[in-house]
């Protein structure tokens, strides 16, 4: 009988130890990640893929809860909270409230095709490296990887005269983000720039304050403005790049193995997205067309004229805001 109880006690001890070990592994890291699009969108699917891979390859030690559709707050607010350590990570566009130099990725016509964009915006590229330096030095944030989104365009409620000629005044007011580069770009392309936050853009177009929008692309315009827009002009004014980052203090506390794991999976996610992004952009343009929005593409000659106008007017105008050192590093690579 005594032997029987000893066996039962030993079995119970093993079970308790196994359960305790399992609990410890599962609870080692429990983080939050935010992004700005609804559930089921391209970015949401990719963030879910990333989180599942991290959980799987960490043996369940790293568990990350996803908060889509800005549930944790506007991306600029979440960026600040990541900086303070109140939220662990985010995958989104960059807020420039703290560091104006982070306007650099949105500068117009740094790249005009995906091959050029990948060289500039992926790890090892000059724009990516500068963004990482700024986030680390000024915002206590560690950059892990990027997520290429699309080339931007202009959405309009009416036809524009000579839309392919930036030297023809369009006499159309369009919403621009409250960022100097977009304001100057709109003016360089012949439009009247009106700074309006993204959240107020639908109402501004609906009430006639503006008759168009710049600062996004086909994907964002379909999600938000497809009931209003009449035309979409694929002017490729900027390359939209989002970034996956986390609190730097938390990053520094991780083991090298965990840092390497996050970096590896972030790079895998980015590489996958570089392959998918061009097709996704075309698909979103087709979605706009499917609801009756006229899609305008431009000849290489017309696009070249837009690029030259941006170089002449916009680049000198934003060099000081971004910082001459950073801006000139990019120009050196482009030249």
């Amino acid at each position: 009988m005594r032997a029987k109880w000893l066996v039962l006690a030993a079995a119970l001890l093993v079970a308790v130890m196994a359960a305790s070990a399992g609990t410890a592994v599962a609870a080692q890291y429990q983080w939050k990640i935010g992004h700005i699009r609804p559930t089921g969108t391209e970015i949401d699917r990719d963030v879910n893929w990333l989180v599942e891979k991290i959980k799987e390859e960490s043996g369940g030690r790293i568990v990350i809860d996803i908060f889509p559709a800005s549930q944790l707050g506007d991306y600029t607010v979440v960026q600040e909270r990541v900086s303070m350590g109140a939220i662990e990570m985010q995958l989104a566009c960059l807020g420039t409230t703290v560091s104006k130099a982070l306007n650099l990725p949105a500068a117009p016509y740094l790249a005009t095709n995906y091959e050029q964009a990948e060289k500039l915006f992926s790890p090892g590229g000059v724009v990516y490296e500068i963004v990482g330096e700024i986030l680390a030095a000024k915002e206590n944030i560690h950059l892990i990887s990027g997520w290429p989104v699309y080339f931007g365009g202009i959405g309009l409620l009416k036809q524009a005269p000579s839309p392919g000629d930036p030297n023809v005044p369009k006499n159309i007011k369009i919403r621009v983000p409250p960022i100097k580069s977009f304001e100057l770009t709109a003016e360089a392309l012949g439009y009247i720039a009106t700074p309006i936050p993204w959240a107020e853009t639908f109402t501004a177009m609906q009430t006639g304050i503006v008759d168009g929008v710049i600062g996004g692309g086909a994907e964002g315009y379909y999600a938000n403005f497809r009931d209003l827009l009449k035309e979409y002009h694929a002017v490729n004014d900027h390359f939209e790049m989002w970034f996956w980052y986390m609190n730097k203090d938390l990053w520094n506390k991780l083991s090298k193995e965990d840092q390497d794991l996050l970096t590896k999976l972030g790079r895998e996610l980015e590489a996958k997205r570089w392959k998918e992004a061009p097709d996704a952009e075309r698909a979103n343009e087709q979605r706009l067309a499917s609801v009756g929005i006229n899609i305008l593409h431009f000849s290489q000659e017309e696009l070249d004229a837009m690029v030259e106008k941006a170089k002449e007017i916009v680049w000198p105008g934003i060099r000081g805001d971004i910082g001459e050192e950073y801006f000139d590093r990019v120009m050196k690579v482009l030249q």
Side-chain angles (χ1 to χ4, degrees):
M1 180 65 70
R2 184 170 179 274
K4 179 180 178 181
W5 282 111
L6 285 174
V7 171
L8 288 174
L12 179 61
L13 179 60
V14 169
V16 169
M17 291 175 65
S20 299
T23 301
V25 168
Q28 185 171 1
Y29 296 117
Q30 183 96 29
W31 299 335
K32 296 183 289 292
I33 184 170
H35 70 78
I36 63 176
R37 290 288 192 256
T39 301
T41 53
E42 296 163 20
I43 182 65
D44 184 65
R45 292 194 298 269
D46 273 2
V47 170
N48 273 276
W49 176 90
L50 178 65
V51 165
E52 286 302 315
K53 292 291 287 184
I54 291 171
K55 182 177 180 181
E56 174 189 337
E57 297 198 20
S58 69
R61 292 182 305 101
I62 302 176
V63 177
I64 305 174
D65 297 319
I66 302 170
F67 293 84
S70 300
Q71 290 177 6
L72 296 174
D74 177 79
Y75 70 91
T76 59
V77 173
V78 175
Q79 184 173 319
E80 292 175 12
R81 296 183 71 191
V82 171
S83 175
M84 296 183 292
I87 296 171
E88 289 79 14
M89 52 180 57
Q90 179 171 220
L91 202 169
C93 45
L94 293 171
T96 60
T97 305
V98 176
S99 307
K100 282 189 176 181
L102 291 176
N103 284 317
L104 175 62
Y109 297 110
L110 295 181
T112 58
N113 58 58
Y114 276 93
E115 182 181 2
Q116 293 174 359
E118 187 169 0
K119 290 178 180 178
L120 290 173
F121 289 88
S122 62
V126 62
V127 175
Y128 182 96
E129 296 303 316
I130 290 172
V131 168
E133 291 171 19
I134 296 168
L135 289 174
K138 299 184 178 181
E139 304 204 21
N140 194 42
I141 287 173
H142 175 78
L143 175 60
I144 305 174
S145 68
W147 196 81
V149 192
Y150 49 59
F151 277 97
I154 297 173
L156 293 175
L157 306 187
K158 60 172 71 172
Q159 290 184 340
S162 303
D165 187 346
N167 297 307
V168 173
K170 309 300 186 288
N171 297 316
I172 297 175
K173 285 185 180 181
I174 63 173
R175 172 268 180 186
V176 301
I179 298 172
K180 190 173 183 178
S181 62
F182 284 108
E183 182 176 348
L184 293 177
T185 299
E187 292 171 351
L189 297 179
Y191 296 88
I192 302 168
T194 305
I196 296 173
W198 179 263
E200 299 172 19
T201 301
F202 185 93
T203 301
M205 288 196 289
Q206 191 177 43
T207 56
I209 295 173
V210 293
D211 286 310
V213 55
I214 195 174
E219 178 257 356
Y221 295 164
Y222 179 83
N224 294 276
F225 312 129
R226 62 180 179 271
D227 295 330
L228 296 176
L229 296 179
K230 304 299 182 186
E231 294 198 346
Y232 176 72
H233 296 188
V235 296
N236 295 351
D237 60 283
H238 75 289
F239 187 72
E240 184 79 5
M241 187 74 172
W242 294 350
F243 296 94
W244 177 36
Y245 54 79
M246 70 183 297
N247 175 265
K248 190 171 76 168
D249 294 333
L250 175 58
W251 172 265
N252 289 337
K253 291 176 183 176
L254 297 177
S255 67
K256 178 142 187 332
E257 291 74 21
D258 284 342
Q259 291 178 347
D260 290 346
L261 173 63
L262 295 180
T263 300
K264 177 181 80 76
L265 292 176
R267 302 292 166 84
E268 287 180 13
L269 173 69
E270 181 173 338
K272 181 169 77 76
R273 178 62 187 179
W274 277 113
K275 293 177 181 178
E276 297 170 351
D279 288 339
E281 182 178 317
R282 286 188 288 269
N284 282 308
E285 288 181 359
Q286 287 304 309
R287 294 173 79 190
L288 288 174
S290 72
V291 294
I293 296 170
N294 186 32
I295 310 297
L296 268 69
H297 290 101
F298 300 94
S299 68
Q300 191 59 53
E301 182 180 358
E302 290 171 321
L303 290 173
D304 287 344
M306 297 177 196
V307 172
E308 291 306 312
K309 193 77 179 290
K311 287 181 179 180
E312 176 189 346
I313 293 177
V314 186
W315 286 7
I318 61 177
R319 181 170 177 258
D321 275 1
I322 289 172
E324 295 177 4
E325 177 190 351
Y326 295 135
F327 194 80
D328 290 348
R329 275 172 63 184
V330 177
M331 293 301 106
K332 185 177 180 181
V333 171
L334 295 183
Q335 291 167 1

